[in-house]
Amino acid sequence: MRFDNTVNLGHILTFLGFLLTIMVTWTTLDKRVVVLEESRKAQATLDATQDHRANEKFSEIKDTLGEIKRTVERVSDKLERKP
């Protein structure tokens, strides 16, 4: 076996091809990561909005149930007072 330590045009073109491939892959990967990060930020905002709406609705339901309970208690008191 013999080692040829000369550099020819094929070696240079292969090396440049590797560099180009690495750069294209890196920029594509970087773009994908940025898109995923933006998607997560948008989803976090949407989640916060939905949580706020859900909390408002739960408060409304709680208030309504409290009113129903008070009404049932009043009706029950009226029925107990009738002889």
Side-chain angles (χ1 to χ4, degrees):
M1 224 192 263
R2 188 173 66 105
F3 178 72
D4 184 13
N5 60 359
T6 60
V7 177
N8 59 26
L9 183 60
H11 295 134
I12 293 172
L13 290 176
T14 303
F15 180 73
L16 292 176
F18 282 140
L19 284 180
L20 181 65
T21 302
I22 290 170
M23 288 177 13
V24 168
T25 303
W26 182 261
T27 56
T28 303
L29 180 64
D30 187 45
K31 288 177 186 175
R32 286 183 174 184
V33 169
V34 168
V35 168
L36 289 174
E37 287 174 350
E38 292 298 322
S39 173
R40 284 186 73 183
K41 287 179 186 177
Q43 187 64 43
T45 304
L46 181 64
D47 290 347
T49 303
Q50 289 176 345
D51 288 346
H52 181 68
R53 286 183 192 163
N55 287 336
E56 287 178 352
K57 295 298 179 186
F58 288 141
S59 295
E60 289 177 17
I61 291 170
K62 185 178 177 183
D63 293 342
T64 303
L65 287 175
E67 291 174 16
I68 292 171
K69 182 178 178 182
R70 286 190 294 275
T71 304
V72 168
E73 288 174 352
R74 276 188 256 141
V75 170
S76 176
D77 288 343
K78 286 182 182 179
L79 290 175
E80 287 176 1
R81 288 184 193 162
K82 286 187 177 182

